[in-house]
Amino acid sequence: GHVHKSEAVGNRNGVSIQDVTGSVETRVSDLYARDNYNGIYVLNHASSNAVTIEDVTSKHNPEYGMMLRGPDINVKDSTFSYNGKAGIYYHTMYEYDLDFTTNIQFEGKVSSHNNIYNGIEFDLGMTDSSTDANTGVIVKGEVSTYLNGEEGLHVTSHPLQNVIFTVEDKGSWSSCQNSHGDIVNSGEGMVTFFDEGGDGYTCDTSEGLGLPSCVTCPVCNTRALMHFENGQNQEDIEDEDEGDALVS
């Protein structure tokens, strides 16, 4: 299925993708989601279909800009900001999510900023299985998490979870000016950060095991971000919509 050029305002979930059947990719593109409980909700653990989120703006949602569960998710050229919890929240739950290897890919420019909690959060701590699981995060473009109320990137990993972040040669991950830490691993699982091009990670503060070697955040960049956000705060868009855009 494909949700394209749409707007979702004031719903339980702006767009809900749940266990899509068949072999085709599910794509959400050119979407503006605001003032929903969750901007985008993907619950796809029973399906091996790829889900692509592209050219999405998700902001001012009381819970998450985007909540994800599923084995193959691509996020491209999208922004998640001013949400009540995390901008992007990925989580696993019990044995359902341990039957496959999870791959999450970021392409183009992906930004998660000014959220009340974390910019991007991987909650991989809920499991009752004795089976090892692998989560791979591949950064092909530019990911930035900044000015969030807690951490820029927060990983909670179970001992049976193996989490691998890879910033490719032309990719970058920048986490700066977050209130409680830029990159934090609070779990007990194996978290590995690969940097294929060198200087792929930028951060000032980090905490936990297996953290990347970061380039220091440039002062000029953080000032520019704050100036940009002051301009963004002047937005006053009034529109209405009803019902979830449901793909199933």
Side-chain angles (χ1 to χ4, degrees):
H2 188 182
V3 177
H4 177 64
K5 287 188 177 179
S6 58
E7 191 167 20
V9 182
N11 310 303
R12 168 70 181 180
N13 299 302
V15 170
S16 182
I17 301 170
Q18 301 187 39
D19 290 334
V20 178
T21 59
S23 58
V24 297
E25 175 190 49
T26 300
R27 179 179 294 270
V28 176
S29 65
D30 199 4
L31 171 74
Y32 181 56
R34 67 172 177 87
D35 299 314
N36 306 284
Y37 190 66
N38 295 299
I40 297 174
Y41 181 74
V42 178
L43 177 61
N44 214 34
H45 62 67
S47 171
S48 60
N49 294 347
V51 175
T52 295
I53 309 296
E54 182 176 4
D55 292 325
V56 165
T57 297
S58 183
K59 62 199 310 183
H60 299 299
N61 301 288
E63 281 283 297
Y64 302 104
M66 181 164 63
M67 176 184 283
L68 304 172
R69 280 178 63 195
D72 193 355
I73 298 172
N74 303 317
V75 183
K76 181 178 181 180
D77 290 322
S78 297
T79 300
F80 308 87
S81 60
Y82 301 102
N83 296 290
K85 291 188 175 179
I88 300 174
Y89 177 67
Y90 184 90
H91 73 128
T92 56
M93 183 175 290
Y94 304 112
E95 68 274 10
Y96 299 112
D97 300 317
L98 298 181
D99 293 335
F100 47 71
T101 295
T102 298
N103 292 303
I104 300 173
Q105 184 167 280
F106 294 103
E107 296 184 60
K109 294 185 178 181
V110 177
S111 174
S112 186
H113 58 86
N114 291 92
N115 298 288
I116 299 298
Y117 288 177
N118 303 310
I120 299 178
E121 180 175 353
F122 289 87
D123 183 0
L124 310 173
M126 299 178 65
T127 176
D128 60 0
S129 173
S130 60
T131 305
D132 287 354
N134 297 308
T135 298
V137 181
I138 300 173
V139 180
K140 292 180 172 291
E142 302 174 15
V143 176
S144 60
T145 64
Y146 56 89
L147 297 175
N148 294 289
E150 293 192 358
E151 288 93 31
L153 168 64
H154 184 101
V155 181
T156 302
S157 54
H158 186 273
L160 296 178
Q161 292 276 353
N162 302 310
V163 188
I164 300 173
F165 287 81
T166 302
V167 173
E168 294 191 348
D169 184 32
K170 295 182 179 180
S172 65
W173 186 293
S174 177
S175 293
C176 296
Q177 293 290 307
N178 298 287
S179 296
H180 294 167
D182 292 329
I183 298 179
V184 175
N185 174 21
S186 65
E188 299 176 354
M190 177 66 69
V191 180
T192 306
F193 291 85
F194 288 109
D195 183 358
E196 294 186 347
D199 296 340
Y201 296 93
T202 300
C203 70
D204 280 337
T205 58
S206 57
E207 178 182 343
L209 301 174
L211 299 173
S213 175
C214 280
V215 176
T216 301
C217 297
V219 174
C220 58
N221 280 8
T222 56
R223 287 176 178 172
L225 291 176
M226 293 176 71
H227 177 74
F228 174 77
E229 287 311 318
N230 286 336
Q232 288 295 315
N233 284 337
Q234 303 304 313
E235 281 188 327
D236 185 14
I237 302 173
E238 296 182 358
D239 42 23
E240 296 181 353
D241 193 10
E242 294 182 358
D244 284 4
L246 176 63
V247 180
S248 60

